[in-house]
Structures are given as C-alpha cells and as structure tokens.
Amino acid sequence: MRRSTGAAVLGVVLLFPLVGCSSATGRGSVPEPKSGITAPEVFYLRPHGDKTGSKAKVPFHVEAEDVGAVRTSVARDHRLTADVRGSESVVRLKKGSRCDGDTVRVTCEVAGNYNNWSDLDRVYPVAAKGSRPGDTGVVRFTFTTKDGRTMTTRTRVVVGEPVVKVRALEVIDGVRPGADVTVPLVVRNDGEVPVKGLALKIGSDYMDFRHLYANCRYPDPSHGRMVICRFPRLRIPPGGAVVLSPALRLRASSTRMHTSFSQEAWPLDLGPGQNTVTPTDGELGDGPALKAEVTSARDTDGTFAEGIVSTDVRLDIDVDYEVFGVELHGSPGARRSLRLKVRNNGPGNPGYAMRLVFTPPPGGVLKEPMRAIDVDVYDPLCDSADGTYSCPVDALGPGESQDFEFILRLDGPGEGSVTVAYNRPSTGRHDANPGNDAAAVTVLP
C-alpha cells in the first residue's frame, strides 16, 4: 500500500496515473498525468545494527513528479525534504552525497522527476539506536516545485519485520502418472513483529488443482494454474506459524515427466515481493474453504524458505526418444537435402529437455534450420561449434516427431552421425531404449 497526495495549494488529492485504468474520458483510456508524491503507507525497518531479515522485501521507495517540468531536464530546481522530528527515538534518516542535513531532517535539490531508487539524492529511513521491535514512528516527505507548490506524504515506520516463510519441498519423486500429490501448507513468521494479514499464492505447471478453495480466487489469465488466498484478519506472532487446511492437492500429469508448483506468502500490509505478479480478479472456488490455524513454529517440521519457493514433481515414468539414420548418394561437390527426424515413442514427455546433435559427413553445410526472431528476421536454430550442430527439440508428446532440414555439399563417401541427448545429463536419464538414441548419416557413391 502506498500513500499519495497532490499539490496542497490546489486543495485536492492528485494521484499518479495507473496505466490501463479507465477514466472519465472513456473506458480503458489513460488518465491525464498528475503531479504528486508517493511513499509506502507503512514500512518495516531492520532493528538497529541488524542486517539480516527479509530478503524478498521491496526496498523503501519514494517517487515524486512535477508534470510541468521537462522530463529530460537535469536541472535540480525542485526540492525534496524528509523529516522525522517527533520520532527521533524510533527512526533516523540516511542520505545520499548530494543531500544536506542530519539524521533528523534532510533536504535534497532534485529534478522534477524524483525516484530514490535511481537518484544519488537518495534518502531513506533506518531504525534509531536504542529503538526496539514494535516501536513506531513517522517520516514526512515534502516535494517543492520550482514555482513553490508543495506536495506532501508520510510513511509510518515500524522497527522490526515480519519475515514470512513457507514450508519448502525441493523434490517430490516417484509420482505415478495422473496420481494426486498432497502438499501440506504451512507458513511461519521468523521476524520480530507480528504478521498482520496474510496472502498465499500458489502456481502449478501442467498440474490441476483437485479442489478449488471457496475463499480463494483463481485469476482468469492463469487458466486455472494459479490461486491467491487472502486472510486479512489473520495474525501470526513472532515465532509463530499457521497451518492451512485442507492441504493442497494437485493431479500430476499423465505424461509430463518433470513438472513443478510454487508457493509464495507475504504480509498483506507489506504486499508481495519484487517481480511478483498478483492479479486481484478471478472467480472464487467451489470447494472447501481454506482455513488457518495458528500454532508455534516449534510444532512445525521441515525446511522453510522466503520468497517464491518451487518444488519439482517427477513422474515415475520412462521415455524412448529415437533418431533415424539417413543415406545420401552423390559425387564430390554435389548438393543434397538432408532431413533428420527425432521421435518420442513415449510413454513420457520430458518437456524441453532434449537436443539433437548432428555431426555432418565430410563436406560442408550450406543451409541449416532457422527460427524467426522478428518479422522477416531469422537466426540459426542450432548452436554450432567444431563442426557439430546442437539443435533444441520441442516438448514432444508420445508419438510426436520433429524434423530438422539441412542442405549439404558432399565430399565423397563418408559418415556423420545424429544423436538425441538430454540438455542436462546431471538430471538423470529415463530412456527406455538408449540403443536408438544414435544413428549414422552415410554418404555413398
């Protein structure tokens, strides 16, 4: 949540535009830009001298814009002021090299478009020496334009952080095709202050939710592969945990050998971490409600992790990829088309995990497979080094095949080879018939 106010002399609140929102000028049109300043409504500070804490938290962010200023201008004819007077025992200020002031009040001469993430005029709050977890204070910001207009906002700061972690499972192995996978949902607060409201986001990759929680939303663009649950009244004390039930149940793919799901949780008053997409729309589920039971972290077992936590799900199933030999006829200097085929004989599908490796027979490659990277712009599909071509294979389902076309210049009788292999052999092979993973490409008179 972020607080924003507009120019005080106008007596109205002016907000930054939200691109894509509707306005009075028509549904879906972009509002006229407005001058304003934004800062977090609430921000949690690490205790004084403590550099641990949440790794997923969005850094403190202040933005200010005067739409009357030229965006490309570097003139430092605006002023940003930060002030913590009255809260000195809780919060102090840090400043960049181009700002003046002390730890209580800082003034920075800035351009008409200010962003403390990108400017050397950075100013941000830190916990005061002697403050304790749970102490609260206020930071006030004022943005003054070249012509004297002022815009203000404030941030309530809290010493200490809620550090939310979910129970992490690195791998679930040996799953039968199409079987149900049951996953306990446990969230822990390893921070110094309570979690005030909790959000949980779960995403799946090629697996279906077996029940749709009645109090959670399933965003439309995710096609049933994402769920977001919010518990606004939930409180998790420091050192506490919450067990969510009924447990997550996913139906494994019947062919995809390697799938995954992810979990991420965050305090509602803080919002999600960086680079997290969190749609607010979506239909409620038609299954049981997801309920939260608060307990002690001592009563929970397993490994817990912060941020987006992914779990690999591996089917107990094999795959048989096959390549086919080719014979070419021609005298030295002749041009010949070559079509290499790779086929998945099933029963599994390893996804985009395979590559075709082609070592040409004596002669030269005149033309190789290409892929479009833009309109009428193409790049080679295969990586080539030392005369060998390594080409990515699509995620072929059982019975599907893929062709790779080359044009060769022959140099008399000889032999090359074609092989299908895993991109990362360390992941282990699951090939039911490795004897057909390689074949010869032969040139005859």
Side-chain angles (χ1 to χ4, degrees):
M1 293 169 50
R2 300 182 67 81
R3 185 191 303 273
S4 175
T5 64
V9 296
L10 298 179
V12 295
V13 174
L14 302 178
L15 300 178
F16 281 117
L18 299 176
V19 176
C21 295
S22 60
S23 72
T25 59
R27 181 176 179 83
S29 61
V30 178
E32 290 294 323
K34 304 292 184 182
S35 298
I37 181 171
T38 65
E41 185 170 340
V42 61
F43 192 79
Y44 291 90
L45 306 172
R46 293 306 307 146
H48 180 76
D50 187 345
K51 299 186 183 301
T52 61
S54 174
K55 302 298 188 295
K57 183 177 71 173
V58 176
F60 187 79
H61 195 195
V62 179
E63 287 183 286
E65 180 170 3
D66 174 13
V67 296
V70 179
R71 294 193 62 87
T72 57
S73 173
V74 295
R76 316 187 74 76
D77 50 10
H78 292 60
R79 185 171 66 255
L80 180 84
T81 302
D83 193 333
V84 298
R85 285 177 293 184
S87 298
E88 299 97 324
S89 63
V90 176
V91 58
R92 295 300 180 102
L93 297 171
K94 291 278 190 178
K95 62 182 177 67
S97 59
R98 292 198 298 219
C99 297
D100 296 321
D102 52 28
T103 61
V104 175
R105 190 174 187 273
V106 172
T107 300
C108 308
E109 302 299 325
V110 300
N113 303 282
Y114 174 78
N115 182 338
N116 78 321
W117 280 1
S118 58
D119 276 2
L120 293 176
D121 316 298
R122 188 181 178 205
V123 57
Y124 58 97
V126 295
K129 185 177 181 179
S131 61
R132 296 183 178 183
D135 290 348
T136 62
V138 175
V139 185
R140 294 175 294 276
F141 295 94
T142 302
F143 183 60
T144 305
T145 66
K146 180 180 179 180
D147 58 9
R149 290 178 298 135
T150 59
M151 291 159 268
T152 63
T153 190
R154 57 167 46 188
T155 294
R156 182 174 69 88
V157 295
V158 181
V159 178
E161 292 177 318
V163 180
V164 174
K165 298 181 179 181
V166 299
R167 187 170 183 266
L169 299 171
E170 186 175 347
V171 176
I172 300 176
D173 212 345
V175 177
R176 289 184 298 104
D180 283 358
V181 177
T182 301
V183 182
L185 298 175
V186 186
V187 178
R188 199 167 74 184
N189 179 13
D190 284 356
E192 303 84 11
V193 297
V195 172
K196 297 181 178 180
L198 180 73
L200 175 67
K201 175 183 174 183
I202 302 170
S204 71
D205 178 15
Y206 299 102
M207 290 186 288
D208 297 324
F209 294 114
R210 293 290 283 130
H211 45 221
L212 306 181
Y213 299 120
N215 54 337
C216 301
R217 294 198 176 273
Y218 296 78
D220 294 334
S222 63
H223 305 292
R225 304 289 186 186
M226 179 192 298
V227 57
I228 300 177
C229 308
R230 295 177 174 88
F231 303 89
R233 291 185 292 275
L234 181 63
R235 300 293 184 265
I236 309 176
V242 60
V243 178
L244 301 165
S245 60
L248 175 67
R249 288 177 60 197
L250 297 165
R251 173 171 286 171
S253 170
S254 59
T255 58
R256 280 274 184 168
M257 298 167 61
H258 305 282
T259 58
S260 66
F261 64 90
S262 64
Q263 303 176 69
E264 182 183 10
W266 61 87
L268 280 179
D269 61 345
L270 267 182
Q274 300 186 72
N275 305 318
T276 297
V277 178
T278 54
T280 57
D281 61 349
E283 296 293 329
L284 294 172
D286 57 5
L290 186 63
K291 298 181 180 180
E293 179 183 354
V294 177
T295 184
S296 170
R298 294 190 301 269
D299 298 330
T300 61
D301 58 2
T303 302
F304 287 78
E306 192 181 4
I308 301 174
V309 178
S310 295
T311 300
D312 290 334
V313 178
R314 300 175 183 173
L315 293 189
D316 184 15
I317 191 174
D318 292 329
V319 66
D320 174 24
Y321 267 80
E322 182 179 6
V323 291
F324 301 87
V326 179
E327 290 185 355
L328 300 174
H329 295 264
S331 58
R335 294 165 54 105
R336 292 292 183 268
S337 295
L338 170 67
R339 177 174 295 177
L340 301 175
K341 180 190 292 289
V342 57
R343 184 173 68 200
N344 179 4
N345 295 326
N349 177 357
Y352 296 90
M354 310 300 294
R355 69 183 187 275
L356 178 139
V357 181
F358 171 46
T359 301
V365 174
L366 302 178
K367 187 176 181 181
E368 62 182 283
M370 305 291 284
R371 60 183 166 192
I373 61 172
D374 205 337
V375 178
D376 295 329
V377 180
Y378 298 87
D379 260 358
L381 173 67
C382 310
D383 295 327
S384 58
D386 300 326
T388 297
Y389 292 80
S390 178
C391 312
V393 176
D394 290 342
L396 302 178
E400 295 180 343
S401 63
Q402 183 177 357
D403 293 341
F404 300 84
E405 295 188 3
F406 294 81
I407 294 180
L408 307 183
R409 177 179 52 80
L410 304 184
D411 192 21
E415 187 174 283
S417 65
V418 58
T419 304
V420 62
Y422 272 82
N423 293 324
R424 295 186 298 166
S426 61
T427 61
R429 293 186 62 88
H430 298 271
D431 197 312
N433 183 16
N436 59 11
D437 289 356
V441 177
T442 306
V443 177
L444 301 173

